[in-house]
C-alpha cells in the first residue's frame, strides 16, 4: 500500500513533540534512526550544530532540552512544507527509498521556531527520522517585519524626509558595520533592516557592483536564476537562466535603492579597530571618500567574500619575462592576446573560462597548467541537480529552508550515492579529457569539494571540448618554477614558449587578509573561515568567530541568503542580553 504521508508525519510528530515538551532527551533521540541527524540552529544553543546518532543526540539535549521549553509542535501548512512522500528527500537516502518529509512549527523559551524532518521506515516497519532540523525563526517581541504601510506621520511626512532621517541616524550610530557590498553584505543589510538592526555597509569600490564589473567580461553564474536571487526580491520573469557579470553588478546596485539600504561607497575601515570589553563597542575609523569618520558599532561583520588578496605563487626570474604576468583579478578579456602564446596556471572554473575566451579570440596557443587533478561536470548537470528544489512551484524562501534542513553529512551521503550516475553522464567528456592529458577527480563529489575548500572543480560550459580537440593544451602535474625572456620553465625541467602568463590561482583567505586591518592578536582568536568542522558545519561563518563583536559572512548566493537570519538573530540576542560572548 502507498504510505499516507499525513498520517505518518502526524503520528511521528506527536511522539516527537511529546518527548520535546517533556524534556525527555532519550525519548527524543528514540524518534531517530540509529544513524539519524539532528541539526540545531539557535534552538538549544546559540550556535549551529549537527549531532549524529542516539548517543550524541541524547547527550547534546541532556543539559538544555528542559530549559528550552519546547511547546506547540505542529505540522506546517505552507505549500512545499506539508507532508509528502518521496521526491527530493527520497533521493537523499537512495533512489528507491521510501520517505516521508514535512515541515513543522513550535514555540520555545525565547520565541518561535520552525523545523523539518525526513522519515524512513525501520526494518520493523516503524517510521523514524533520518534527519530533523530545528531552527529559531524569531525572538518574541522582535519579529522580522516585511511591509510598512507607506504612510508616515498620519500622512503628514514625505517618504523623502523619513528616509533621510533614518539614514542620518544610521550613519551617525550604526549598531552593525558591514564590510563589503557584494551579494553577501547586501543580503545581510536587508535582513538586518527587517530585524530593526541599524546597519551601515562600507564598500571600497566606487560603485556597488564593481566587484563584479572588474572581473573578466565573459563571466556568468553557473547556477540557475532561482538559486541566485537576493532576499525579498525575485528576478524578473525575463531574467536569463545564467546571469552575466554586468547584469549581476547592476542588480546589486539597484538592490541598494529598492531595499533602502545605507551604503557608503569609496569607503573602507582603516587599521586598527579596537574593541572595548566594557562598553562592548568598537572604535573604528572609516575612510569615507577621503574623509575620516570615527564610528562605534557593537559589531563588525566582514562580508568581503570567502577570499581576500590574490594568491600569487612564487615564481623565480619574473622580471626577466618579456610579457605580462597577471593574476586573473586583472584579466579584462582576451582581445589584447590575439596572436599570442598564453600559459594559464590553474584548472578550475576561472581558468576554463579564460582559456575558452583566449581560444575564441584568436590566441596563437593556449596552455592550461593543471597542477593537480580537477573535478569536471557539465553545467547542465548542476542545473538538473538543483531543479527538484529550486523551481517555480514554491518560493525561494521555502526552497532554501528545505535545503538548509539537510545536514551536510546526509548531503554528502547523497553525493556519494549519485556519483556513479553523474560520472556516467560525463563519460564521453571525461574520456576526451583523459586522452588530452587532463587528470580528473572521481573519488570526491562536487559537493564535498565546494563545502570543503571552495575549489578543485570546473563546471563545464565549453572548455572541455576545446581541450579534447587540442585547441587548449594541457600541462599536468607541475608548477611554474621560473620564467625566461619568452618562456615558462616548469618544476620537471620542461619549458614552453610564452608571451603571456595568467595566474588563475584563486585568492587567499579573507581571514588572513583581515590581519592587515585588525592585527594578529584579534584574528588569532577567530576560527578559520570556510571548510567544514567535525560536525559538518561551515567553519567561522554566520556563527561566533571567537572574538566578541567580530563576525565573518561568506558563500555563494544560497549560503549568504539562507544564513543571514541566523546571524541577525545572534546579534539581536546579544542586544537583548540573551546571548553573551
Amino acid at each position: 500500500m502507498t504510505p499516507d504521508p499525513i498520517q505518518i508525519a502526524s503520528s511521528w510528530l506527536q511522539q516527537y513533540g511529546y518527548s520535546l515538551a517533556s524534556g525527555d532527551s532519550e525519548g527524543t533521540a528514540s524518534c531517530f534512526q540509529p544513524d539519524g541527524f539532528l541539526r540545531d540552529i539557535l534552538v538549544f544553543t546559540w550556535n549551529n550544530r549537527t549531532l549524529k546518532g542516539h548517543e550524541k543526540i541524547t547527550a547534546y539535549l541532556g543539559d538544555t532540552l528542559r530549559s528550552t521549553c519546547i511547546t506547540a509542535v505542529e505540522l506546517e501548512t505552507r505549500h512545499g512544507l506539508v507532508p509528502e512522500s518521496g521526491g527530493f528527500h527520497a533521493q537523499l537516502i537512495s533512489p528507491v527509498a521510501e520517505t516521508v518529509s514535512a515541515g513543522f512549527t513550535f514555540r520555545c523559551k525565547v520565541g518561535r521556531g520552525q523545523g523539518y524532518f525526513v522519515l524512513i521506515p525501520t526494518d520493523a516497519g516503524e517510521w523514524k527520522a533520518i534527519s530533523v532540523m530545528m531552527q529559531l525563526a524569531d525572538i518574541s517581541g522582535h519579529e522580522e517585519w516585511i511591509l510598512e504601510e507607506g504612510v508616515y506621520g498620519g500622512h503628514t511626512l514625505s517618504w523623502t524626509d523619513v528616509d533621510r532621517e533614518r539614514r542620518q541616524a544610521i550613519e551617525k550610530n550604526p549598531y552593525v558595520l558591514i564590510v563589503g557590498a557584494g551579494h553577501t553584505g547586501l543580503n545581510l543589510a536587508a535582513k538586518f533592516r527587517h530585524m530593526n538592526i541599524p546597519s551601515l555597509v562600507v564598500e571600497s569600490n566606487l560603485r556597488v557592483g564593481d566587484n563584479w564589473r572588474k572581473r573578466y567580461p565573459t563571466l556568468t553564474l553557473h547556477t540557475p536564476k532561482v538559486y541566485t536571487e537576493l532576499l525579498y526580491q525575485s528576478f524578473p520573469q525575463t531574467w536569463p537562466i545564467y546571469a552575466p557579470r554586468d547584469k549581476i553588478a547592476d542588480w546589486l546596485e539597484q538592490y541598494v535603492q529598492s531595499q533602502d539600504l545605507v551604503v557608503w561607497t569609496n569607503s573602507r575601515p582603516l587599521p586598527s579597530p579596537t574593541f572595548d570589553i566594557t562598553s562592548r563597542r568598537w572604535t573604528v575609523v572609516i575612510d569615507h571618500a577621503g574623509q575620516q569618520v570615527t564610528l562605534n558599532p557593537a559589531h563588525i561583520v566582514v562580508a568581503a567574500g570567502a577570499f581576500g588578496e590574490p594568491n600569487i605563487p612564487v615564481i623565480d626570474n619574473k622580471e626577466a619575462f618579456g610579457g605580462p604576468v597577471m593574476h586573473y583579478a586583472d584579466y579584462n578579456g582576451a582581445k589584447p592576446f590575439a596572436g599570442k602564446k598564453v600559459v594559464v596556471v590553474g584548472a578550475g572554473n576561472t581558468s576554463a573560462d579564460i582559456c575558452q575566451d583566449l581560444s575564441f579570440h584568436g590566441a596563437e596557443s593556449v596552455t592550461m597548467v593543471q597542477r593537480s587533478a580537477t573535478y569536471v561536470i557539465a553545467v547542465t548537470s548542476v542545473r538538473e541537480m538543483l531543479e527538484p528544489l529550486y523551481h517555480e512551484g514554491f518560493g525561494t524562501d521555502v526552497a532554501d529552508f528545505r535545503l538548509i534542513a539537510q545536514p551536510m553529512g546526509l548531503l554528502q551521503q547523497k553525493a556519494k550515492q549519485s556519483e556513479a550516475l553523474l560520472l556516467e553522464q560525463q563519460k564521453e567528456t571525461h574520456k576526451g579529457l583523459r586522452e588530452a592529458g587532463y587528470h580528473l577527480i572521481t573519488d570526491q563529489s562536487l559537493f564535498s569539494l565546494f563545502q570543503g575548500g571552495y575549489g578543485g572543480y570546473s563546471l563545464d560550459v565549453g572548455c572541455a571540448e576545446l581541450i579534447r580537440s587540442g585547441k587548449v593544451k594541457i600541462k599536468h602535474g607541475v608548477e611554474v618554477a621560473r620564467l625566461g625572456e619568452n618562456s615558462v620553465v616548469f618544476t620537471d625541467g620542461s619549458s614552453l614558449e610564452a608571451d603571456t602568463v595568467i595566474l588563475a590561482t584563486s585568492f587567499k583567505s579573507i581571514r588572513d587578509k583581515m590581519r592587515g586591518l585588525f592585527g594578529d592578536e584579534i584574528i588569532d582568536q577567530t576560527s578559520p573561515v570556510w571548510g567544514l568542522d567535525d560536525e559538518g558545519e561551515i567553519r567561522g561563518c554566520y556563527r561566533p568567530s571567537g572574538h566578541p563583536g567580530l563576525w565573518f559572512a561568506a558563500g555563494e548566493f544560497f549560503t549568504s541568503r539562507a544564513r543571514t537570519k541566523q546571524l541577525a538573530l545572534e546579534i539581536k540576542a546579544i542586544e537583548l542580553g540573551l546571548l553573551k560572548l
Side-chain angles (χ1 to χ4, degrees):
M1 294 179 60
T2 302
D4 179 351
I6 296 177
Q7 188 276 325
I8 291 169
S10 298
S11 177
W12 179 89
L13 189 62
Q14 183 178 16
Q15 179 184 354
Y16 185 68
Y18 176 80
S19 296
L20 290 171
S22 302
D24 182 358
S25 57
E26 291 186 0
T28 301
S30 72
C31 296
F32 289 77
Q33 295 282 344
D35 59 347
F37 295 86
L38 170 64
R39 189 174 202 185
D40 169 32
I41 303 177
L42 308 184
V43 176
F44 301 106
T45 66
W46 288 104
N47 209 322
N48 49 296
R49 300 284 305 277
T50 296
L51 296 310
K52 182 179 181 181
H54 287 182
E55 184 177 349
K56 289 184 177 180
I57 293 171
T58 301
Y60 180 66
L61 296 178
D63 296 330
T64 62
L65 182 53
R66 287 188 182 276
S67 61
T68 305
C69 304
I70 303 294
T71 61
V73 180
E74 298 178 353
L75 284 172
E76 267 275 16
T77 58
R78 287 184 291 165
H79 179 58
L81 298 175
V82 296
E84 64 176 356
S85 299
F88 170 77
H89 304 289
Q91 298 171 26
L92 283 174
I93 315 305
S94 78
V96 295
E98 285 185 292
T99 68
V100 169
S101 55
F104 64 99
T105 60
F106 59 91
R107 301 293 305 183
C108 63
K109 184 177 181 179
V110 299
R112 180 180 66 89
Q114 55 188 3
Y116 199 91
F117 58 84
V118 180
L119 310 178
I120 61 175
T122 65
D123 293 339
E126 289 185 280
W127 289 86
K128 302 280 188 178
I130 190 64
S131 72
V132 179
M133 187 273 286
M134 297 180 68
Q135 178 183 56
L136 182 64
D138 276 306
I139 297 172
S140 295
H142 302 274
E143 290 81 4
E144 177 182 359
W145 60 273
I146 299 299
L147 297 175
E148 288 186 315
E149 187 178 22
V151 176
Y152 305 97
H155 207 55
T156 63
L157 299 176
S158 72
W159 163 246
T160 301
D161 291 339
V162 170
D163 183 51
R164 182 182 63 253
E165 290 180 5
R166 288 177 176 177
R167 289 173 181 275
Q168 288 174 347
I170 290 173
E171 290 176 325
K172 183 178 180 180
N173 186 30
Y175 188 70
V176 179
L177 176 68
I178 300 172
V179 181
H183 64 273
T184 299
L186 297 184
N187 271 326
L188 283 168
K191 181 65 73 174
F192 289 174
R193 177 174 182 266
H194 288 270
M195 295 284 291
N196 296 317
I197 300 172
S199 305
L200 170 66
V201 185
V202 292
E203 167 59 45
S204 61
N205 285 303
L206 293 178
R207 293 172 59 192
V208 171
D210 278 353
N211 58 325
W212 287 89
R213 294 184 188 94
K214 291 179 178 180
R215 301 180 73 180
Y216 54 93
T218 58
L219 173 65
T220 61
L221 294 178
H222 290 127
T223 45
K225 67 177 186 177
V226 289
Y227 185 80
T228 54
E229 291 179 344
L230 301 180
L231 286 168
Y232 309 118
Q233 191 168 332
S234 299
F235 289 130
Q237 188 175 1
T238 53
W239 193 260
I241 294 173
Y242 301 108
R245 176 196 75 172
D246 293 314
K247 287 189 73 68
I248 301 166
D250 292 345
W251 187 256
L252 294 178
E253 193 167 36
Q254 66 78 35
Y255 186 78
V256 172
Q257 298 301 317
S258 63
Q259 296 299 319
D260 304 317
L261 308 182
V262 183
V263 179
W264 286 355
T265 56
N266 192 21
S267 301
R268 58 200 55 77
L270 298 176
S272 301
T274 58
F275 185 77
D276 187 289
I277 198 68
T278 302
S279 67
R280 314 296 284 185
R281 289 273 179 167
W282 291 92
T283 298
V284 55
V285 178
I286 305 297
D287 177 347
H288 178 32
Q291 179 182 358
Q292 293 192 3
V293 180
T294 300
L295 299 174
N296 298 107
H299 303 272
I300 298 177
V301 182
V302 177
F307 306 116
E309 297 175 345
N311 185 26
I312 308 292
V314 176
I315 301 174
D316 290 339
N317 209 35
K318 276 200 297 187
E319 67 282 354
F321 189 65
V325 179
M326 67 174 67
H327 189 268
Y328 80 83
D330 299 315
Y331 174 81
N332 197 32
K335 291 180 181 179
F337 308 110
K340 304 292 186 181
K341 303 180 183 72
V342 186
V343 172
V344 181
V345 181
N349 268 340
T350 300
S351 174
D353 281 356
I354 290 173
C355 288
Q356 187 174 359
D357 189 30
L358 290 164
S359 177
F360 179 79
H361 283 95
E364 180 180 332
S365 66
V366 180
T367 301
M368 177 188 291
V369 180
Q370 188 195 28
R371 298 169 294 171
S372 58
T374 311
Y375 183 98
V376 177
I377 184 173
V379 70
T380 51
S381 295
V382 176
R383 182 181 174 189
E384 290 169 3
M385 287 190 289
L386 291 172
E387 278 180 341
L389 265 183
Y390 288 88
H391 55 74
E392 304 299 332
F394 41 77
T396 305
D397 58 337
V398 171
D400 284 349
F401 181 67
R402 284 161 56 105
L403 183 53
I404 205 171
Q406 309 311 316
M408 297 293 186
L410 194 58
L411 290 174
Q412 288 174 327
Q413 178 180 315
K414 160 61 180 171
K416 289 179 182 178
Q417 292 171 345
S418 63
E419 201 57 33
L421 177 60
L422 284 173
L423 291 174
E424 181 63 26
Q425 292 174 347
Q426 320 302 316
K427 184 176 179 180
E428 286 303 310
T429 296
H430 285 183
K431 179 176 180 290
L433 289 172
R434 287 191 180 96
E435 290 172 351
Y438 193 96
H439 288 232
L440 291 159
I441 293 175
T442 57
D443 60 347
Q444 298 182 63
S445 67
L446 173 62
F447 176 82
S448 62
L449 289 166
F450 174 77
Q451 296 291 353
Y454 225 37
Y457 58 87
S458 177
L459 309 184
D460 181 49
V461 294
C463 189
E465 181 55 36
L466 295 176
I467 294 171
R468 184 174 187 172
S469 68
K471 293 181 180 178
V472 172
K473 302 185 185 306
I474 298 297
K475 180 73 175 176
H476 173 77
V478 295
E479 299 277 356
V480 176
R482 64 183 186 277
L483 300 179
E485 183 179 353
N486 57 2
S487 66
V488 176
V489 181
F490 299 100
T491 49
D492 65 354
S494 63
S495 64
L496 283 174
E497 289 187 12
D499 302 306
T500 301
V501 176
I502 299 173
L503 303 172
T505 48
S506 193
F507 291 82
K508 297 177 182 178
S509 166
I510 188 62
R511 176 174 176 261
D512 289 334
K513 182 180 179 181
M514 287 298 107
R515 290 182 182 276
L517 175 61
F518 291 97
D520 290 341
E521 183 178 352
I522 289 177
I523 295 300
D524 284 345
Q525 297 178 48
T526 65
S527 164
V529 175
W530 208 254
L532 301 179
D533 65 17
D534 293 340
E535 295 179 346
E537 295 289 341
I538 296 174
R539 298 182 301 174
C541 295
Y542 307 99
R543 60 198 304 192
S545 70
H547 187 283
L550 179 59
W551 309 82
F552 289 90
E556 88 300 9
F557 284 81
F558 155 72
T559 300
S560 70
R561 185 178 60 238
R563 294 283 191 163
T564 53
K565 187 65 174 285
Q566 175 179 338
L567 182 49
L569 286 168
E570 289 166 321
I571 287 175
K572 180 59 72 172
I574 291 171
E575 180 186 359
L576 298 172
L578 299 172
L579 171 61
K580 294 188 184 342
L581 293 177

